[in-house]
Amino acid sequence: MNTIFPAIRSYFVVAMVLFLFGSLTTSCKSKGGTDPDIDPRDQYVGAYEGGEKGYQSVIAIGTLQFNPEFGPTNITVSKSSNPKEIYIESANQSLKVTAELNGENFTVIDKNSNQIFVPPNNNYTGSYKATGVFGKDQASGKLAFVLTATTETLKDGTAIRKVETYNGTKK
């Protein structure tokens, strides 16, 4: 009987060591791995407030630049059904676009043209491109949003350009 207990004990010790080793190696997350359950868009989703000058629009015809227009803006960012895409909306300025997210940067992918209205009654259609970035606001420390959109066209050889900027901090 004295020889059976040491043999059982040694098997028991070996089994415990294998169990512990197996538990430790399978439960640890590998370095540099990503968790497939974490969506990087989640950190950006929400409402952003731009204040009284959260929106700015500047129109130029050739070298003549009109006075900038300013206004308040509230921006809503939500997730698209596609994994790398977000929706960006601003009801104040009738902005509703889809953007592809690449890290902190994004590019609008579903809008190719826009209108440029030049008073008193001139309306031009131009090519539209917009990019933006999420980052930390230096003053408040909150997450911030900036989108810059450019609409350009030619009329009788003269360039007509509208640059719009939307910015805000997360509420």
Side-chain angles (χ1 to χ4, degrees), residues 81-122:
S81 58
N82 293 330
K84 287 184 138 189
E85 295 177 4
I86 55 175
Y87 296 126
I88 302 167
E89 294 183 58
S90 176
N92 304 44
Q93 288 76 33
S94 301
L95 174 73
K96 187 172 183 178
V97 293
T98 303
E100 183 175 58
L101 190 61
N102 184 9
E104 296 177 331
N105 301 307
F106 58 89
T107 303
V108 171
I109 58 173
D110 67 342
K111 187 172 183 177
N112 297 319
S113 65
N114 197 25
Q115 298 296 308
I116 303 172
F117 177 72
V118 180
N121 287 328
N122 298 308

Side-chain angles (χ1 to χ4, degrees), residues 124-145:
Y124 305 98
T125 301
S127 63
Y128 178 89
K129 291 183 182 179
T131 60
V133 66
F134 292 98
K136 193 173 189 178
D137 180 58
Q138 297 296 330
S140 68
K142 294 180 180 181
L143 184 63
F145 167 96

